[in-house]
Amino acid sequence: GLSGTYSDETGMMNYRFESGGKVYMEMMGMETELKYEVDGKKVKIQNPQGGNMIFTLLDDGSIQGLMGAKLYKDGKNKKTKK
């Protein structure tokens, strides 16, 4: 499974993955405990309203999340300036 915290570029959406298939989703100050599983390149997060949210594991280690938002592990989401 996954481990660690993945955040979007704004830091407003955070997903903390832990052992035992638990993920803590924090959005706008509200935290929700959900269950998740990894199936190949897909991360299936159980939606409390029913069904699953399907995220995609990308080759660079980030996750393609809701509405196309990329989630980066441990805050490695700062764009580097060249």
Side-chain angles (χ1 to χ4, degrees):
L2 296 168
S3 67
T5 300
Y6 289 76
S7 306
D8 69 352
E9 288 190 354
T10 65
M12 292 184 66
M13 219 179 341
N14 298 291
Y15 294 84
R16 189 174 81 243
F17 291 91
E18 295 189 355
S19 61
K22 288 184 181 176
V23 59
Y24 296 88
M25 178 178 74
E26 185 183 334
M27 206 175 300
M28 294 179 271
M30 291 178 37
E31 187 174 64
T32 307
E33 179 185 315
L34 303 168
K35 292 183 185 311
Y36 82 96
E37 65 176 301
V38 177
D39 182 7
K41 291 270 188 189
K42 300 291 181 194
V43 180
K44 299 176 181 178
I45 299 177
Q46 193 175 40
N47 187 335
Q49 283 83 34
N52 289 325
M53 296 179 282
I54 309 290
F55 293 10
T56 304
L57 286 170
L58 302 177
D59 291 336
D60 65 1
S62 64
I63 298 174
Q64 186 83 42
L66 298 174
M67 297 175 284
K70 269 180 110 171
L71 305 170
Y72 297 88
K73 186 170 185 177
D74 299 329
K76 293 186 174 74
N77 55 355
K78 306 296 180 239
K79 293 183 178 172
T80 54
K81 294 181 180 174
K82 298 203 175 207

